[in-house]
Amino acid sequence: MDTQNGITATAPAGKIPEPPEPHLPDDQWGRRAWELLQKLRSRAPLIQCITNVVSMDLMANVLLAAGASPAMLSSLNEISDFTPGVDALCINIGTLSEDGLASMRAAASVAAEAGRPWVLDPVAVSASDFRMEACLGLLELRPAVIRGNASEILGLASARRIRNSKGVDSSHQSLDAVEAAKSLSRSSGAIVAVSGAVDYITDGHTVVGARNGVSMLQKITATGCAVTALIAAFISVEPLSALEATACALSIFGVAAELGMEMATGPASLRMHLIDSLDGLNEHVLVSRMNVFRVS
């Protein structure tokens, strides 16, 4: 979808599980997504978000609407006490600073040691050398999932800044970044998701597409950030099937946006109705609307 950035099973400590290739027929993704959403709602996983100041409100409310418990805790002094007890960690570099980066590195290290999955959102990675170097360093700490727009994934996969990048906005289509996403997945060991009009998710070999959402999401800041946090919540309840969990999270967010758009008159009301729709999402609606398909 087009977005705007602004007791669970765990892997052995320090290791990210290899997800099995999905063998779901296209018409079974809706039921799989409902299964994972029910699991999330019943477990209410604790999701720590170290994120930019623009996105905190929407990110926390999307997590709450889905059934998770958000914790917007980022102080370096609290990481060693708090992070081992979370179910997943979301790191978003949107408003990056030296102090913030130190907290991100520490939290990712602690999460890995505790066997907790963490997700990276490399917001505007090509905007500066500082951002690119920060993300490359974070990749060494083995995120379970990386989600970004096409330009962000292209830049990160090549480890080189895209010189004509436009801040947090993508200057490429999601399809343009599929091969780069596969390469980045193979080199990092992470599931890589490319957001766009169609979202593409890959483990380096298999590619799945998700075609849900509305274009007006681009006019609401931090929707991309929020869906990354939602991915963290979904992989916390299904860490051994991170590709499936990622695709389901992206599509569910998109379905909620479609439902919200039916009641909205503009971006502000869409934001409100999206959250309401996610909170009230039921099996029939999700299964009938979800559009996830195998690409390769």
Side-chain angles (χ1 to χ4, degrees):
M1 81 211 66
D2 287 314
T3 53
Q4 180 60 261
N5 285 329
I7 302 179
T8 59
T10 58
K15 295 183 180 180
I16 299 299
E18 290 292 331
E21 286 197 3
H23 296 288
L24 285 177
D26 290 354
D27 63 357
Q28 292 300 306
W29 277 98
R31 299 194 184 283
R32 177 61 166 149
W34 178 248
E35 173 190 330
L36 294 184
L37 182 58
Q38 287 290 84
K39 187 180 292 188
L40 192 158
R41 287 171 171 174
S42 67
R43 294 184 180 179
L46 177 61
I47 311 301
Q48 181 182 358
C49 303
I50 301 180
T51 188
N52 67 79
V53 296
V54 178
S55 70
M56 285 187 185
D57 176 76
L58 183 58
M59 186 180 285
N61 279 297
V62 164
L63 286 171
L64 285 168
S69 177
M72 321 311 279
L73 183 150
S74 61
S75 171
L76 182 60
N77 294 328
E78 296 183 288
I79 298 297
S80 62
D81 293 328
F82 187 81
T83 304
V86 305
D87 293 296
L89 168 69
C90 176
I91 292 179
N92 176 301
I93 70 160
T95 49
L96 191 62
S97 67
E98 288 283 3
D99 289 345
L101 180 57
S103 293
M104 293 172 186
R105 288 171 172 159
S109 295
V110 170
E113 290 169 4
R116 300 295 188 258
W118 71 276
V119 180
L120 175 64
D121 193 330
V123 180
V125 65
S126 289
S128 68
D129 289 337
F130 176 49
R131 284 176 180 273
M132 179 61 73
E133 291 165 6
C135 282
L136 293 176
L138 287 167
L139 286 183
E140 295 177 2
L141 299 173
R142 306 289 287 178
V145 180
I146 303 163
R147 189 220 63 89
N149 63 36
S151 294
E152 290 162 349
I153 297 303
L154 285 164
L156 190 57
S158 67
R160 293 192 301 272
R161 292 170 58 198
I162 297 174
R163 294 296 173 178
N164 295 323
S165 63
K166 187 183 176 183
V168 301
D169 297 330
S170 182
S171 54
H172 301 83
Q173 300 299 312
S174 56
L175 185 61
D176 299 337
V178 169
E179 291 305 316
K182 291 168 67 176
S183 175
L184 178 59
S185 179
R186 290 192 293 267
S187 65
S188 67
I191 300 301
V192 177
V194 188
S195 291
V198 178
D199 301 324
Y200 293 99
I201 309 96
T202 183
D203 60 4
H205 305 282
T206 300
V207 179
V208 170
R211 194 190 302 270
N212 288 107
V214 296
S215 61
M216 194 175 285
L217 286 172
Q218 296 176 86
K219 295 187 176 182
I220 306 172
T221 191
T223 50
C225 307
V227 79
T228 303
L230 190 62
I231 290 169
F234 271 77
I235 65 168
S236 76
V237 299
E238 198 70 17
L240 301 181
S241 300
L243 191 151
E244 290 183 6
T246 300
C248 288
L250 285 161
S251 191
I252 284 170
F253 188 86
V255 168
E258 292 169 2
L259 295 170
M261 194 67 231
E262 293 176 1
M263 299 174 278
T265 58
S269 54
L270 173 58
R271 185 185 191 276
M272 175 183 69
H273 290 303
L274 184 157
I275 294 169
D276 285 349
S277 296
L278 181 57
D279 177 71
L281 193 58
N282 62 49
E283 181 178 9
H284 172 74
V285 171
L286 177 58
V287 171
S288 64
R289 283 184 174 261
M290 192 164 172
N291 187 2
V292 177
F293 51 94
R294 183 83 172 259
V295 176
S296 65

mmCIF file of all heavy atoms in Angstrom, residues 7-11 43 115-117 235-240:
data_model
loop_
_atom_site.group_PDB
_atom_site.id
_atom_site.type_symbol
_atom_site.label_atom_id
_atom_site.label_comp_id
_atom_site.label_asym_id
_atom_site.label_seq_id
_atom_site.Cartn_x
_atom_site.Cartn_y
_atom_site.Cartn_z
ATOM 1 N N ILE A 7 3.290 -15.495 26.174
ATOM 2 C CA ILE A 7 4.456 -16.403 26.109
ATOM 3 C C ILE A 7 4.388 -16.972 24.693
ATOM 4 O O ILE A 7 3.484 -17.693 24.381
ATOM 5 C CB ILE A 7 4.438 -17.493 27.210
ATOM 6 C CG1 ILE A 7 4.400 -16.768 28.570
ATOM 7 C CG2 ILE A 7 5.531 -18.484 27.045
ATOM 8 C CD1 ILE A 7 4.366 -17.643 29.741
ATOM 9 N N THR A 8 5.371 -16.369 23.787
ATOM 10 C CA THR A 8 5.383 -16.700 22.385
ATOM 11 C C THR A 8 6.604 -17.510 22.029
ATOM 12 O O THR A 8 7.599 -17.509 22.735
ATOM 13 C CB THR A 8 5.378 -15.382 21.578
ATOM 14 O OG1 THR A 8 6.536 -14.634 21.945
ATOM 15 C CG2 THR A 8 4.132 -14.585 21.879
ATOM 16 N N ALA A 9 6.529 -18.208 20.907
ATOM 17 C CA ALA A 9 7.695 -18.958 20.464
ATOM 18 C C ALA A 9 8.772 -17.999 20.033
ATOM 19 O O ALA A 9 8.505 -16.991 19.370
ATOM 20 C CB ALA A 9 7.313 -19.869 19.294
ATOM 21 N N THR A 10 10.008 -18.256 20.419
ATOM 22 C CA THR A 10 11.121 -17.403 20.032
ATOM 23 C C THR A 10 12.247 -18.243 19.473
ATOM 24 O O THR A 10 12.345 -19.435 19.711
ATOM 25 C CB THR A 10 11.654 -16.602 21.233
ATOM 26 O OG1 THR A 10 12.056 -17.516 22.258
ATOM 27 C CG2 THR A 10 10.582 -15.687 21.796
ATOM 28 N N ALA A 11 13.131 -17.573 18.724
ATOM 29 C CA ALA A 11 14.311 -18.236 18.195
ATOM 30 C C ALA A 11 15.370 -18.311 19.271
ATOM 31 O O ALA A 11 15.302 -17.590 20.262
ATOM 32 C CB ALA A 11 14.848 -17.442 17.003
ATOM 33 N N ARG A 43 -3.196 -12.502 22.736
ATOM 34 C CA ARG A 43 -1.940 -12.433 23.491
ATOM 35 C C ARG A 43 -1.541 -11.008 23.883
ATOM 36 O O ARG A 43 -0.750 -10.826 24.805
ATOM 37 C CB ARG A 43 -0.812 -13.060 22.672
ATOM 38 C CG ARG A 43 -0.994 -14.547 22.454
ATOM 39 C CD ARG A 43 0.196 -15.138 21.722
ATOM 40 N NE ARG A 43 0.013 -16.574 21.508
ATOM 41 C CZ ARG A 43 0.890 -17.347 20.864
ATOM 42 N NH1 ARG A 43 2.005 -16.816 20.365
ATOM 43 N NH2 ARG A 43 0.653 -18.633 20.711
ATOM 44 N N GLY A 115 16.451 -13.309 22.167
ATOM 45 C CA GLY A 115 15.684 -14.086 21.208
ATOM 46 C C GLY A 115 14.388 -13.426 20.800
ATOM 47 O O GLY A 115 13.437 -14.101 20.408
ATOM 48 N N ARG A 116 14.332 -12.099 20.878
ATOM 49 C CA ARG A 116 13.134 -11.357 20.480
ATOM 50 C C ARG A 116 13.318 -10.771 19.076
ATOM 51 O O ARG A 116 14.360 -10.184 18.786
ATOM 52 C CB ARG A 116 12.846 -10.216 21.465
ATOM 53 C CG ARG A 116 12.611 -10.685 22.895
ATOM 54 C CD ARG A 116 11.342 -11.519 22.996
ATOM 55 N NE ARG A 116 11.000 -11.809 24.378
ATOM 56 C CZ ARG A 116 11.220 -12.975 24.978
ATOM 57 N NH1 ARG A 116 11.791 -13.961 24.309
ATOM 58 N NH2 ARG A 116 10.876 -13.157 26.236
ATOM 59 N N PRO A 117 12.341 -10.913 18.207
ATOM 60 C CA PRO A 117 12.492 -10.347 16.859
ATOM 61 C C PRO A 117 12.424 -8.836 16.878
ATOM 62 O O PRO A 117 11.735 -8.233 17.707
ATOM 63 C CB PRO A 117 11.296 -10.941 16.105
ATOM 64 C CG PRO A 117 10.265 -11.180 17.166
ATOM 65 C CD PRO A 117 11.031 -11.565 18.408
ATOM 66 N N ILE A 235 4.889 -10.444 13.819
ATOM 67 C CA ILE A 235 5.965 -11.442 13.897
ATOM 68 C C ILE A 235 6.213 -11.868 15.339
ATOM 69 O O ILE A 235 6.758 -12.945 15.575
ATOM 70 C CB ILE A 235 7.276 -10.953 13.241
ATOM 71 C CG1 ILE A 235 7.875 -9.754 13.970
ATOM 72 C CG2 ILE A 235 7.067 -10.679 11.775
ATOM 73 C CD1 ILE A 235 9.296 -9.463 13.525
ATOM 74 N N SER A 236 5.779 -11.062 16.306
ATOM 75 C CA SER A 236 5.941 -11.464 17.704
ATOM 76 C C SER A 236 5.091 -12.677 18.040
ATOM 77 O O SER A 236 5.446 -13.466 18.921
ATOM 78 C CB SER A 236 5.581 -10.305 18.648
ATOM 79 O OG SER A 236 4.178 -10.118 18.763
ATOM 80 N N VAL A 237 3.977 -12.854 17.341
ATOM 81 C CA VAL A 237 3.113 -14.009 17.613
ATOM 82 C C VAL A 237 3.345 -15.147 16.630
ATOM 83 O O VAL A 237 2.823 -16.241 16.820
ATOM 84 C CB VAL A 237 1.610 -13.606 17.619
ATOM 85 C CG1 VAL A 237 1.342 -12.575 18.697
ATOM 86 C CG2 VAL A 237 1.148 -13.109 16.254
ATOM 87 N N GLU A 238 4.121 -14.900 15.575
ATOM 88 C CA GLU A 238 4.417 -15.944 14.589
ATOM 89 C C GLU A 238 5.849 -15.778 14.078
ATOM 90 O O GLU A 238 6.084 -15.578 12.880
ATOM 91 C CB GLU A 238 3.421 -15.876 13.427
ATOM 92 C CG GLU A 238 3.360 -17.132 12.582
ATOM 93 C CD GLU A 238 2.725 -18.308 13.300
ATOM 94 O OE1 GLU A 238 2.035 -18.104 14.325
ATOM 95 O OE2 GLU A 238 2.914 -19.443 12.841
ATOM 96 N N PRO A 239 6.856 -15.854 14.965
ATOM 97 C CA PRO A 239 8.240 -15.559 14.568
ATOM 98 C C PRO A 239 8.835 -16.569 13.598
ATOM 99 O O PRO A 239 9.778 -16.233 12.877
ATOM 100 C CB PRO A 239 9.005 -15.562 15.901
ATOM 101 C CG PRO A 239 8.190 -16.434 16.802
ATOM 102 C CD PRO A 239 6.764 -16.185 16.409
ATOM 103 N N LEU A 240 8.327 -17.780 13.557
ATOM 104 C CA LEU A 240 8.872 -18.790 12.666
ATOM 105 C C LEU A 240 8.295 -18.716 11.253
ATOM 106 O O LEU A 240 8.731 -19.449 10.368
ATOM 107 C CB LEU A 240 8.653 -20.190 13.254
ATOM 108 C CG LEU A 240 9.292 -20.422 14.629
ATOM 109 C CD1 LEU A 240 9.035 -21.846 15.101
ATOM 110 C CD2 LEU A 240 10.786 -20.130 14.606
#
